[in-house]
Amino acid sequence: MPGIAVFGAGSIGCYLGGRLAAAGSRVVLIGRPYQAAVLAEQGLTLSDYEGYRSRLDPDRLMFSTDPGAAAAADLVLITVKSGATDSAARALEFFLKKNAVVISFQNGMHNLALLQQRLREQTVLAGMVPFNVMQPAPGHFHQGSEGDLYVERSPLLTPFLPDFEAAGLPLTLVDDIVPVQWAKLLLNLNNSINALSGLPLKTELSRQPYRRVLAAAQREALALLRQRGQRLARLTPVPTPWIPSLLELPDAVFRLLASRMLAIDPMARSSMQDDLDAGRKTEIDWLQGEILRLARDQQAAAPVNARLLELVHAAEQGGRRDWSGEDLLTEVLRTR
Ligand SMILES: NC(=O)c1ccc[n+]([C@@H]2O[C@H](COP(=O)([O-])OP(=O)(O)OC[C@H]3O[C@@H](n4cnc5c(N)ncnc54)[C@H](OP(=O)(O)O)[C@@H]3O)[C@@H](O)[C@H]2O)c1
């Protein structure tokens, strides 16, 4: 049986690694001492919005705080936040097997290149996690929304496909992952809005003023991507470029037409809110920051995304995190 290592045992790492282990795969989770202590005490509980639930007792878990624990792995999943990618690659470069396959299951557009720069003897592939994972309690990881995992197609993935199938996490393989990554990034522009609202995702997305902020941020990004000739994958029932028009609809119509977008656990929040709660640096520079880089490359402006980025940086320093939709909309539109 191929060995799987998960580097970055947080929400996504513990959920993906835990589900693979629960289905019988040989998995080692690599993460921080605090997570090791929690899992050694509580074990790992996994659940999803459709009623899946499983539990791994501590003696069924392999957890290490040492990157060297990935040395025997045939497949390595990278699940650290984007700001930690370079240090993850540095930590792993001297340990990994030469023919190991590495999948980045991270958001953002630059993780793949960063990993490939250091992990030159391995095959590094980009993946995408479409769903939200939250931690309702220490040691409990809950998938709060739908979607299958995406990974760029490679024949080297073949030995691992049965592991993901058995875990109930089948991989959708695509020839070109970049349109998938950009389409996901457009959806992730909501992470900042959610974090600034302080509300659960479902409550926030049920309110038109917040959706109008998201629509404005997406329209800016879509214009820049169109200018660049970038193709976008369709990850939602409607094509990606139509999403802003859907978001701008009045609440009752939105609820009717976009019920799939609201098929989120009532308590699910963006992980950016968790980062702010924990006093950690957020991933904003790899989400809204990507749109600002696009704008800079095209000598254009992206004021809505720029303001959201500033507000999240301010929130990281203790600034406001209880923005009403109306206030946030006024604030971001003022800058245009
Ligand atoms: N959470 C979601 O719902 C979700 C959904 C889709 C995609 N994603 C993407 O998935 C990626 C991971 O997100 P996440 O929410 O799972 O993040 P997370 O909960 O912060 O998990 C990452 C974990 O990796 C640990 N870590 C970082 N560097 C490490 C190192 N050198 N050695 C050992 N452990 C290390 C972190 O510890 P410290 O915090 O102590 O550094 C943290 O425990 C991000 O790119 C995110 O955008 C997340």
PDB file of all heavy atoms in Angstrom, residues 7-13 30-32 34-35 79-82 84 87-88 91 105-107 111 129-134 184 271 275 280 283, ligand 1:
ATOM      1  N   PHE A   7       1.444  17.231   4.827  1.00  0.00           N
ATOM      2  CA  PHE A   7       2.286  18.246   5.480  1.00  0.00           C
ATOM      3  C   PHE A   7       1.442  19.488   5.754  1.00  0.00           C
ATOM      4  O   PHE A   7       1.061  20.203   4.831  1.00  0.00           O
ATOM      5  CB  PHE A   7       3.497  18.592   4.607  1.00  0.00           C
ATOM      6  CG  PHE A   7       4.517  19.387   5.368  1.00  0.00           C
ATOM      7  CD1 PHE A   7       5.504  18.756   6.100  1.00  0.00           C
ATOM      8  CD2 PHE A   7       4.452  20.774   5.405  1.00  0.00           C
ATOM      9  CE1 PHE A   7       6.426  19.484   6.844  1.00  0.00           C
ATOM     10  CE2 PHE A   7       5.363  21.510   6.136  1.00  0.00           C
ATOM     11  CZ  PHE A   7       6.358  20.867   6.867  1.00  0.00           C
ATOM     12  N   GLY A   8       1.156  19.724   7.045  1.00  0.00           N
ATOM     13  CA  GLY A   8       0.316  20.867   7.439  1.00  0.00           C
ATOM     14  C   GLY A   8      -0.979  20.340   8.010  1.00  0.00           C
ATOM     15  O   GLY A   8      -2.030  20.416   7.369  1.00  0.00           O
ATOM     16  N   ALA A   9      -0.896  19.772   9.225  1.00  0.00           N
ATOM     17  CA  ALA A   9      -2.079  19.128   9.814  1.00  0.00           C
ATOM     18  C   ALA A   9      -2.970  20.169  10.481  1.00  0.00           C
ATOM     19  O   ALA A   9      -3.018  20.296  11.702  1.00  0.00           O
ATOM     20  CB  ALA A   9      -1.633  18.056  10.812  1.00  0.00           C
ATOM     21  N   GLY A  10      -3.673  20.940   9.645  1.00  0.00           N
ATOM     22  CA  GLY A  10      -4.679  21.889  10.123  1.00  0.00           C
ATOM     23  C   GLY A  10      -6.026  21.414   9.621  1.00  0.00           C
ATOM     24  O   GLY A  10      -6.274  20.202   9.531  1.00  0.00           O
ATOM     25  N   SER A  11      -6.897  22.355   9.235  1.00  0.00           N
ATOM     26  CA  SER A  11      -8.266  21.986   8.843  1.00  0.00           C
ATOM     27  C   SER A  11      -8.269  21.043   7.640  1.00  0.00           C
ATOM     28  O   SER A  11      -8.823  19.941   7.694  1.00  0.00           O
ATOM     29  CB  SER A  11      -9.078  23.240   8.502  1.00  0.00           C
ATOM     30  OG  SER A  11      -9.142  24.069   9.635  1.00  0.00           O
ATOM     31  N   ILE A  12      -7.656  21.479   6.533  1.00  0.00           N
ATOM     32  CA  ILE A  12      -7.695  20.659   5.311  1.00  0.00           C
ATOM     33  C   ILE A  12      -6.840  19.406   5.489  1.00  0.00           C
ATOM     34  O   ILE A  12      -7.250  18.294   5.129  1.00  0.00           O
ATOM     35  CB  ILE A  12      -7.214  21.497   4.097  1.00  0.00           C
ATOM     36  CG1 ILE A  12      -8.220  22.616   3.797  1.00  0.00           C
ATOM     37  CG2 ILE A  12      -7.000  20.629   2.855  1.00  0.00           C
ATOM     38  CD1 ILE A  12      -9.613  22.160   3.426  1.00  0.00           C
ATOM     39  N   GLY A  13      -5.658  19.567   6.078  1.00  0.00           N
ATOM     40  CA  GLY A  13      -4.749  18.425   6.246  1.00  0.00           C
ATOM     41  C   GLY A  13      -5.359  17.325   7.099  1.00  0.00           C
ATOM     42  O   GLY A  13      -5.329  16.148   6.730  1.00  0.00           O
ATOM     43  N   ILE A  30       1.652  15.471   9.419  1.00  0.00           N
ATOM     44  CA  ILE A  30       2.809  16.208   9.942  1.00  0.00           C
ATOM     45  C   ILE A  30       2.347  17.617  10.304  1.00  0.00           C
ATOM     46  O   ILE A  30       1.766  18.313   9.463  1.00  0.00           O
ATOM     47  CB  ILE A  30       3.953  16.250   8.909  1.00  0.00           C
ATOM     48  CG1 ILE A  30       4.353  14.812   8.549  1.00  0.00           C
ATOM     49  CG2 ILE A  30       5.150  17.032   9.459  1.00  0.00           C
ATOM     50  CD1 ILE A  30       5.301  14.702   7.371  1.00  0.00           C
ATOM     51  N   GLY A  31       2.558  17.989  11.547  1.00  0.00           N
ATOM     52  CA  GLY A  31       2.068  19.301  11.971  1.00  0.00           C
ATOM     53  C   GLY A  31       2.717  19.752  13.248  1.00  0.00           C
ATOM     54  O   GLY A  31       3.784  19.266  13.630  1.00  0.00           O
ATOM     55  N   ARG A  32       2.042  20.670  13.914  1.00  0.00           N
ATOM     56  CA  ARG A  32       2.601  21.349  15.081  1.00  0.00           C
ATOM     57  C   ARG A  32       2.394  20.535  16.363  1.00  0.00           C
ATOM     58  O   ARG A  32       1.423  19.761  16.458  1.00  0.00           O
ATOM     59  CB  ARG A  32       1.897  22.695  15.253  1.00  0.00           C
ATOM     60  CG  ARG A  32       2.013  23.612  14.062  1.00  0.00           C
ATOM     61  CD  ARG A  32       3.425  24.046  13.822  1.00  0.00           C
ATOM     62  NE  ARG A  32       3.491  25.153  12.867  1.00  0.00           N
ATOM     63  CZ  ARG A  32       4.601  25.541  12.281  1.00  0.00           C
ATOM     64  NH1 ARG A  32       5.739  24.904  12.503  1.00  0.00           N
ATOM     65  NH2 ARG A  32       4.598  26.553  11.442  1.00  0.00           N
ATOM     66  N   TYR A  34       1.079  21.493  19.117  1.00  0.00           N
ATOM     67  CA  TYR A  34      -0.234  21.672  19.761  1.00  0.00           C
ATOM     68  C   TYR A  34      -1.277  20.738  19.142  1.00  0.00           C
ATOM     69  O   TYR A  34      -2.125  20.191  19.826  1.00  0.00           O
ATOM     70  CB  TYR A  34      -0.701  23.148  19.718  1.00  0.00           C
ATOM     71  CG  TYR A  34      -0.987  23.704  18.332  1.00  0.00           C
ATOM     72  CD1 TYR A  34      -2.190  23.446  17.670  1.00  0.00           C
ATOM     73  CD2 TYR A  34      -0.051  24.504  17.682  1.00  0.00           C
ATOM     74  CE1 TYR A  34      -2.446  23.951  16.401  1.00  0.00           C
ATOM     75  CE2 TYR A  34      -0.295  25.021  16.419  1.00  0.00           C
ATOM     76  CZ  TYR A  34      -1.492  24.739  15.780  1.00  0.00           C
ATOM     77  OH  TYR A  34      -1.753  25.237  14.527  1.00  0.00           O
ATOM     78  N   GLN A  35      -1.180  20.528  17.827  1.00  0.00           N
ATOM     79  CA  GLN A  35      -2.146  19.630  17.167  1.00  0.00           C
ATOM     80  C   GLN A  35      -1.864  18.177  17.567  1.00  0.00           C
ATOM     81  O   GLN A  35      -2.798  17.391  17.770  1.00  0.00           O
ATOM     82  CB  GLN A  35      -2.032  19.810  15.646  1.00  0.00           C
ATOM     83  CG  GLN A  35      -3.178  19.273  14.834  1.00  0.00           C
ATOM     84  CD  GLN A  35      -4.484  20.005  15.119  1.00  0.00           C
ATOM     85  OE1 GLN A  35      -5.254  19.589  15.969  1.00  0.00           O
ATOM     86  NE2 GLN A  35      -4.715  21.099  14.420  1.00  0.00           N
ATOM     87  N   THR A  79      -0.671  21.028   2.705  1.00  0.00           N
ATOM     88  CA  THR A  79      -1.909  21.675   3.163  1.00  0.00           C
ATOM     89  C   THR A  79      -1.614  22.793   4.167  1.00  0.00           C
ATOM     90  O   THR A  79      -2.408  23.037   5.069  1.00  0.00           O
ATOM     91  CB  THR A  79      -2.863  20.625   3.782  1.00  0.00           C
ATOM     92  OG1 THR A  79      -2.145  19.931   4.829  1.00  0.00           O
ATOM     93  CG2 THR A  79      -3.345  19.626   2.761  1.00  0.00           C
ATOM     94  N   VAL A  80      -0.455  23.449   3.994  1.00  0.00           N
ATOM     95  CA  VAL A  80      -0.184  24.631   4.816  1.00  0.00           C
ATOM     96  C   VAL A  80      -0.799  25.845   4.120  1.00  0.00           C
ATOM     97  O   VAL A  80      -1.109  25.804   2.926  1.00  0.00           O
ATOM     98  CB  VAL A  80       1.339  24.861   5.028  1.00  0.00           C
ATOM     99  CG1 VAL A  80       1.964  23.716   5.808  1.00  0.00           C
ATOM    100  CG2 VAL A  80       2.071  25.062   3.693  1.00  0.00           C
ATOM    101  N   LYS A  81      -0.958  26.944   4.849  1.00  0.00           N
ATOM    102  CA  LYS A  81      -1.413  28.184   4.233  1.00  0.00           C
ATOM    103  C   LYS A  81      -0.334  28.689   3.271  1.00  0.00           C
ATOM    104  O   LYS A  81       0.854  28.333   3.404  1.00  0.00           O
ATOM    105  CB  LYS A  81      -1.685  29.230   5.325  1.00  0.00           C
ATOM    106  CG  LYS A  81      -2.927  28.897   6.170  1.00  0.00           C
ATOM    107  CD  LYS A  81      -4.112  29.695   5.693  1.00  0.00           C
ATOM    108  CE  LYS A  81      -5.453  29.218   6.204  1.00  0.00           C
ATOM    109  NZ  LYS A  81      -5.625  29.222   7.649  1.00  0.00           N
ATOM    110  N   SER A  82      -0.729  29.545   2.327  1.00  0.00           N
ATOM    111  CA  SER A  82       0.206  29.983   1.279  1.00  0.00           C
ATOM    112  C   SER A  82       1.461  30.648   1.838  1.00  0.00           C
ATOM    113  O   SER A  82       2.555  30.476   1.285  1.00  0.00           O
ATOM    114  CB  SER A  82      -0.498  30.959   0.333  1.00  0.00           C
ATOM    115  OG  SER A  82      -1.616  30.334  -0.252  1.00  0.00           O
ATOM    116  N   ALA A  84       3.142  29.811   4.244  1.00  0.00           N
ATOM    117  CA  ALA A  84       4.058  28.818   4.820  1.00  0.00           C
ATOM    118  C   ALA A  84       4.600  27.862   3.754  1.00  0.00           C
ATOM    119  O   ALA A  84       5.326  26.917   4.079  1.00  0.00           O
ATOM    120  CB  ALA A  84       3.339  28.027   5.914  1.00  0.00           C
ATOM    121  N   SER A  87       8.549  27.686   3.410  1.00  0.00           N
ATOM    122  CA  SER A  87       9.228  26.983   4.514  1.00  0.00           C
ATOM    123  C   SER A  87       8.872  25.501   4.493  1.00  0.00           C
ATOM    124  O   SER A  87       9.703  24.659   4.864  1.00  0.00           O
ATOM    125  CB  SER A  87       8.934  27.640   5.864  1.00  0.00           C
ATOM    126  OG  SER A  87       7.570  27.597   6.123  1.00  0.00           O
ATOM    127  N   ALA A  88       7.669  25.149   4.021  1.00  0.00           N
ATOM    128  CA  ALA A  88       7.311  23.728   3.906  1.00  0.00           C
ATOM    129  C   ALA A  88       8.235  23.053   2.885  1.00  0.00           C
ATOM    130  O   ALA A  88       8.779  21.972   3.127  1.00  0.00           O
ATOM    131  CB  ALA A  88       5.852  23.577   3.474  1.00  0.00           C
ATOM    132  N   ALA A  91      11.595  22.606   4.290  1.00  0.00           N
ATOM    133  CA  ALA A  91      11.626  21.544   5.310  1.00  0.00           C
ATOM    134  C   ALA A  91      11.636  20.163   4.658  1.00  0.00           C
ATOM    135  O   ALA A  91      12.210  19.228   5.198  1.00  0.00           O
ATOM    136  CB  ALA A  91      10.419  21.681   6.241  1.00  0.00           C
ATOM    137  N   PHE A 105      -2.706  21.118  -2.111  1.00  0.00           N
ATOM    138  CA  PHE A 105      -4.159  21.334  -1.981  1.00  0.00           C
ATOM    139  C   PHE A 105      -4.403  22.696  -1.336  1.00  0.00           C
ATOM    140  O   PHE A 105      -5.121  22.809  -0.353  1.00  0.00           O
ATOM    141  CB  PHE A 105      -4.786  20.204  -1.151  1.00  0.00           C
ATOM    142  CG  PHE A 105      -5.187  19.010  -1.970  1.00  0.00           C
ATOM    143  CD1 PHE A 105      -4.675  17.754  -1.705  1.00  0.00           C
ATOM    144  CD2 PHE A 105      -6.080  19.136  -3.025  1.00  0.00           C
ATOM    145  CE1 PHE A 105      -5.049  16.641  -2.464  1.00  0.00           C
ATOM    146  CE2 PHE A 105      -6.459  18.037  -3.791  1.00  0.00           C
ATOM    147  CZ  PHE A 105      -5.936  16.795  -3.512  1.00  0.00           C
ATOM    148  N   GLN A 106      -3.767  23.723  -1.891  1.00  0.00           N
ATOM    149  CA  GLN A 106      -3.841  25.064  -1.314  1.00  0.00           C
ATOM    150  C   GLN A 106      -4.574  26.014  -2.260  1.00  0.00           C
ATOM    151  O   GLN A 106      -4.602  25.789  -3.464  1.00  0.00           O
ATOM    152  CB  GLN A 106      -2.420  25.593  -1.097  1.00  0.00           C
ATOM    153  CG  GLN A 106      -1.550  24.694  -0.228  1.00  0.00           C
ATOM    154  CD  GLN A 106      -0.091  25.069  -0.361  1.00  0.00           C
ATOM    155  OE1 GLN A 106       0.575  24.682  -1.314  1.00  0.00           O
ATOM    156  NE2 GLN A 106       0.413  25.854   0.582  1.00  0.00           N
ATOM    157  N   ASN A 107      -5.117  27.084  -1.702  1.00  0.00           N
ATOM    158  CA  ASN A 107      -5.654  28.156  -2.530  1.00  0.00           C
ATOM    159  C   ASN A 107      -4.513  29.066  -2.957  1.00  0.00           C
ATOM    160  O   ASN A 107      -3.435  29.037  -2.357  1.00  0.00           O
ATOM    161  CB  ASN A 107      -6.681  28.965  -1.730  1.00  0.00           C
ATOM    162  CG  ASN A 107      -7.985  28.205  -1.558  1.00  0.00           C
ATOM    163  OD1 ASN A 107      -8.392  27.441  -2.441  1.00  0.00           O
ATOM    164  ND2 ASN A 107      -8.648  28.401  -0.435  1.00  0.00           N
ATOM    165  N   ASN A 111       1.621  28.804  -5.263  1.00  0.00           N
ATOM    166  CA  ASN A 111       2.186  27.725  -4.434  1.00  0.00           C
ATOM    167  C   ASN A 111       2.891  26.666  -5.273  1.00  0.00           C
ATOM    168  O   ASN A 111       3.939  26.151  -4.886  1.00  0.00           O
ATOM    169  CB  ASN A 111       1.089  27.093  -3.583  1.00  0.00           C
ATOM    170  CG  ASN A 111       0.571  28.082  -2.557  1.00  0.00           C
ATOM    171  OD1 ASN A 111       1.351  28.619  -1.779  1.00  0.00           O
ATOM    172  ND2 ASN A 111      -0.723  28.369  -2.593  1.00  0.00           N
ATOM    173  N   VAL A 129      -9.259  22.282  -3.418  1.00  0.00           N
ATOM    174  CA  VAL A 129     -10.297  21.795  -2.494  1.00  0.00           C
ATOM    175  C   VAL A 129     -11.482  22.758  -2.613  1.00  0.00           C
ATOM    176  O   VAL A 129     -11.362  23.926  -2.250  1.00  0.00           O
ATOM    177  CB  VAL A 129      -9.787  21.798  -1.030  1.00  0.00           C
ATOM    178  CG1 VAL A 129     -10.873  21.325  -0.081  1.00  0.00           C
ATOM    179  CG2 VAL A 129      -8.529  20.954  -0.898  1.00  0.00           C
ATOM    180  N   PRO A 130     -12.621  22.289  -3.129  1.00  0.00           N
ATOM    181  CA  PRO A 130     -13.732  23.216  -3.353  1.00  0.00           C
ATOM    182  C   PRO A 130     -14.561  23.478  -2.100  1.00  0.00           C
ATOM    183  O   PRO A 130     -15.300  24.442  -2.044  1.00  0.00           O
ATOM    184  CB  PRO A 130     -14.595  22.489  -4.388  1.00  0.00           C
ATOM    185  CG  PRO A 130     -14.320  21.044  -4.137  1.00  0.00           C
ATOM    186  CD  PRO A 130     -12.908  20.951  -3.641  1.00  0.00           C
ATOM    187  N   PHE A 131     -14.430  22.601  -1.104  1.00  0.00           N
ATOM    188  CA  PHE A 131     -15.336  22.726   0.050  1.00  0.00           C
ATOM    189  C   PHE A 131     -14.650  23.387   1.238  1.00  0.00           C
ATOM    190  O   PHE A 131     -13.439  23.539   1.279  1.00  0.00           O
ATOM    191  CB  PHE A 131     -15.902  21.350   0.446  1.00  0.00           C
ATOM    192  CG  PHE A 131     -14.876  20.254   0.555  1.00  0.00           C
ATOM    193  CD1 PHE A 131     -14.031  20.177   1.650  1.00  0.00           C
ATOM    194  CD2 PHE A 131     -14.762  19.287  -0.452  1.00  0.00           C
ATOM    195  CE1 PHE A 131     -13.098  19.153   1.755  1.00  0.00           C
ATOM    196  CE2 PHE A 131     -13.827  18.256  -0.352  1.00  0.00           C
ATOM    197  CZ  PHE A 131     -12.989  18.196   0.754  1.00  0.00           C
ATOM    198  N   ASN A 132     -15.499  23.753   2.200  1.00  0.00           N
ATOM    199  CA  ASN A 132     -15.039  24.411   3.414  1.00  0.00           C
ATOM    200  C   ASN A 132     -14.882  23.373   4.524  1.00  0.00           C
ATOM    201  O   ASN A 132     -15.689  22.466   4.627  1.00  0.00           O
ATOM    202  CB  ASN A 132     -16.120  25.453   3.755  1.00  0.00           C
ATOM    203  CG  ASN A 132     -15.956  26.048   5.121  1.00  0.00           C
ATOM    204  OD1 ASN A 132     -16.430  25.482   6.101  1.00  0.00           O
ATOM    205  ND2 ASN A 132     -15.290  27.181   5.186  1.00  0.00           N
ATOM    206  N   VAL A 133     -13.808  23.497   5.296  1.00  0.00           N
ATOM    207  CA  VAL A 133     -13.630  22.611   6.458  1.00  0.00           C
ATOM    208  C   VAL A 133     -13.467  23.482   7.693  1.00  0.00           C
ATOM    209  O   VAL A 133     -12.686  24.441   7.679  1.00  0.00           O
ATOM    210  CB  VAL A 133     -12.397  21.694   6.306  1.00  0.00           C
ATOM    211  CG1 VAL A 133     -12.142  20.900   7.591  1.00  0.00           C
ATOM    212  CG2 VAL A 133     -12.579  20.730   5.136  1.00  0.00           C
ATOM    213  N   MET A 134     -14.235  23.178   8.712  1.00  0.00           N
ATOM    214  CA  MET A 134     -14.084  23.949   9.960  1.00  0.00           C
ATOM    215  C   MET A 134     -13.844  22.995  11.121  1.00  0.00           C
ATOM    216  O   MET A 134     -13.979  21.783  10.986  1.00  0.00           O
ATOM    217  CB  MET A 134     -15.316  24.800  10.206  1.00  0.00           C
ATOM    218  CG  MET A 134     -16.563  23.972  10.318  1.00  0.00           C
ATOM    219  SD  MET A 134     -17.963  25.040  10.591  1.00  0.00           S
ATOM    220  CE  MET A 134     -19.278  23.853  10.455  1.00  0.00           C
ATOM    221  N   LYS A 184     -11.712  29.303  -8.599  1.00  0.00           N
ATOM    222  CA  LYS A 184     -11.789  29.141  -7.138  1.00  0.00           C
ATOM    223  C   LYS A 184     -11.375  30.442  -6.451  1.00  0.00           C
ATOM    224  O   LYS A 184     -11.980  30.851  -5.463  1.00  0.00           O
ATOM    225  CB  LYS A 184     -10.881  27.982  -6.704  1.00  0.00           C
ATOM    226  CG  LYS A 184     -10.805  27.762  -5.192  1.00  0.00           C
ATOM    227  CD  LYS A 184     -12.065  27.133  -4.652  1.00  0.00           C
ATOM    228  CE  LYS A 184     -12.274  27.144  -3.148  1.00  0.00           C
ATOM    229  NZ  LYS A 184     -11.251  26.650  -2.301  1.00  0.00           N
ATOM    230  N   SER A 271     -11.904  30.260   6.688  1.00  0.00           N
ATOM    231  CA  SER A 271     -10.777  30.022   7.597  1.00  0.00           C
ATOM    232  C   SER A 271     -10.049  31.327   7.902  1.00  0.00           C
ATOM    233  O   SER A 271      -9.280  31.415   8.860  1.00  0.00           O
ATOM    234  CB  SER A 271      -9.824  28.974   7.025  1.00  0.00           C
ATOM    235  OG  SER A 271      -9.262  29.440   5.827  1.00  0.00           O
ATOM    236  N   ASP A 275      -8.270  32.530  11.333  1.00  0.00           N
ATOM    237  CA  ASP A 275      -6.921  33.103  11.439  1.00  0.00           C
ATOM    238  C   ASP A 275      -6.953  34.394  12.256  1.00  0.00           C
ATOM    239  O   ASP A 275      -6.082  34.616  13.097  1.00  0.00           O
ATOM    240  CB  ASP A 275      -6.345  33.386  10.040  1.00  0.00           C
ATOM    241  CG  ASP A 275      -5.987  32.101   9.308  1.00  0.00           C
ATOM    242  OD1 ASP A 275      -5.768  31.077   9.981  1.00  0.00           O
ATOM    243  OD2 ASP A 275      -5.938  32.113   8.067  1.00  0.00           O
ATOM    244  N   ARG A 280      -3.427  34.984  13.823  1.00  0.00           N
ATOM    245  CA  ARG A 280      -2.453  34.579  12.795  1.00  0.00           C
ATOM    246  C   ARG A 280      -2.555  35.518  11.606  1.00  0.00           C
ATOM    247  O   ARG A 280      -3.611  36.109  11.368  1.00  0.00           O
ATOM    248  CB  ARG A 280      -2.762  33.151  12.305  1.00  0.00           C
ATOM    249  CG  ARG A 280      -2.483  32.067  13.305  1.00  0.00           C
ATOM    250  CD  ARG A 280      -2.642  30.709  12.640  1.00  0.00           C
ATOM    251  NE  ARG A 280      -3.994  30.461  12.200  1.00  0.00           N
ATOM    252  CZ  ARG A 280      -4.820  29.560  12.763  1.00  0.00           C
ATOM    253  NH1 ARG A 280      -4.421  28.826  13.767  1.00  0.00           N
ATOM    254  NH2 ARG A 280      -6.044  29.389  12.298  1.00  0.00           N
ATOM    255  N   GLU A 283      -4.366  34.766   4.713  1.00  0.00           N
ATOM    256  CA  GLU A 283      -3.895  34.497   3.334  1.00  0.00           C
ATOM    257  C   GLU A 283      -4.278  35.623   2.372  1.00  0.00           C
ATOM    258  O   GLU A 283      -4.224  35.419   1.161  1.00  0.00           O
ATOM    259  CB  GLU A 283      -4.523  33.189   2.827  1.00  0.00           C
ATOM    260  CG  GLU A 283      -3.661  31.966   2.985  1.00  0.00           C
ATOM    261  CD  GLU A 283      -4.274  30.732   2.329  1.00  0.00           C
ATOM    262  OE1 GLU A 283      -5.500  30.581   2.295  1.00  0.00           O
ATOM    263  OE2 GLU A 283      -3.488  29.893   1.840  1.00  0.00           O
TER     264      GLU A 283
HETATM  265  N1  LIG B   1     -10.074  25.664   5.638  1.00  0.00           N
HETATM  266  C1  LIG B   1     -10.816  25.583   4.550  1.00  0.00           C
HETATM  267  O1  LIG B   1     -12.034  25.487   4.614  1.00  0.00           O
HETATM  268  C2  LIG B   1     -10.157  25.572   3.188  1.00  0.00           C
HETATM  269  C3  LIG B   1     -10.937  25.211   2.069  1.00  0.00           C
HETATM  270  C4  LIG B   1     -10.330  25.115   0.820  1.00  0.00           C
HETATM  271  C5  LIG B   1      -8.989  25.408   0.697  1.00  0.00           C
HETATM  272  N2  LIG B   1      -8.271  25.796   1.783  1.00  0.00           N
HETATM  273  C6  LIG B   1      -6.849  26.083   1.574  1.00  0.00           C
HETATM  274  O2  LIG B   1      -6.091  25.022   2.133  1.00  0.00           O
HETATM  275  C7  LIG B   1      -4.843  25.518   2.643  1.00  0.00           C
HETATM  276  C8  LIG B   1      -4.749  25.126   4.111  1.00  0.00           C
HETATM  277  O3  LIG B   1      -5.765  25.808   4.824  1.00  0.00           O
HETATM  278  P1  LIG B   1      -6.235  25.374   6.279  1.00  0.00           P
HETATM  279  O4  LIG B   1      -7.455  26.174   6.573  1.00  0.00           O
HETATM  280  O5  LIG B   1      -6.257  23.926   6.409  1.00  0.00           O
HETATM  281  O6  LIG B   1      -5.014  25.976   7.134  1.00  0.00           O
HETATM  282  P2  LIG B   1      -4.659  25.668   8.657  1.00  0.00           P
HETATM  283  O7  LIG B   1      -5.863  25.181   9.383  1.00  0.00           O
HETATM  284  O8  LIG B   1      -3.955  26.878   9.177  1.00  0.00           O
HETATM  285  O9  LIG B   1      -3.657  24.446   8.562  1.00  0.00           O
HETATM  286  C9  LIG B   1      -2.308  24.527   8.214  1.00  0.00           C
HETATM  287  C10 LIG B   1      -1.532  23.862   9.328  1.00  0.00           C
HETATM  288  O10 LIG B   1      -0.186  23.672   8.906  1.00  0.00           O
HETATM  289  C11 LIG B   1       0.657  24.014  10.000  1.00  0.00           C
HETATM  290  N3  LIG B   1       1.995  24.325   9.508  1.00  0.00           N
HETATM  291  C12 LIG B   1       2.410  25.412   8.813  1.00  0.00           C
HETATM  292  N4  LIG B   1       3.742  25.319   8.550  1.00  0.00           N
HETATM  293  C13 LIG B   1       4.158  24.159   9.107  1.00  0.00           C
HETATM  294  C14 LIG B   1       5.416  23.519   9.192  1.00  0.00           C
HETATM  295  N5  LIG B   1       6.527  24.057   8.648  1.00  0.00           N
HETATM  296  N6  LIG B   1       5.514  22.341   9.853  1.00  0.00           N
HETATM  297  C15 LIG B   1       4.409  21.781  10.410  1.00  0.00           C
HETATM  298  N7  LIG B   1       3.164  22.346  10.356  1.00  0.00           N
HETATM  299  C16 LIG B   1       3.049  23.517   9.720  1.00  0.00           C
HETATM  300  C17 LIG B   1      -0.038  25.210  10.610  1.00  0.00           C
HETATM  301  O11 LIG B   1       0.447  25.505  11.897  1.00  0.00           O
HETATM  302  P3  LIG B   1       0.598  27.063  12.344  1.00  0.00           P
HETATM  303  O12 LIG B   1      -0.728  27.710  12.123  1.00  0.00           O
HETATM  304  O13 LIG B   1       0.989  26.942  13.785  1.00  0.00           O
HETATM  305  O14 LIG B   1       1.667  27.638  11.475  1.00  0.00           O
HETATM  306  C18 LIG B   1      -1.477  24.716  10.617  1.00  0.00           C
HETATM  307  O15 LIG B   1      -1.729  23.888  11.718  1.00  0.00           O
HETATM  308  C19 LIG B   1      -4.869  27.027   2.415  1.00  0.00           C
HETATM  309  O16 LIG B   1      -4.223  27.368   1.219  1.00  0.00           O
HETATM  310  C20 LIG B   1      -6.369  27.337   2.299  1.00  0.00           C
HETATM  311  O17 LIG B   1      -6.652  28.498   1.539  1.00  0.00           O
HETATM  312  C21 LIG B   1      -8.816  25.876   3.037  1.00  0.00           C
END
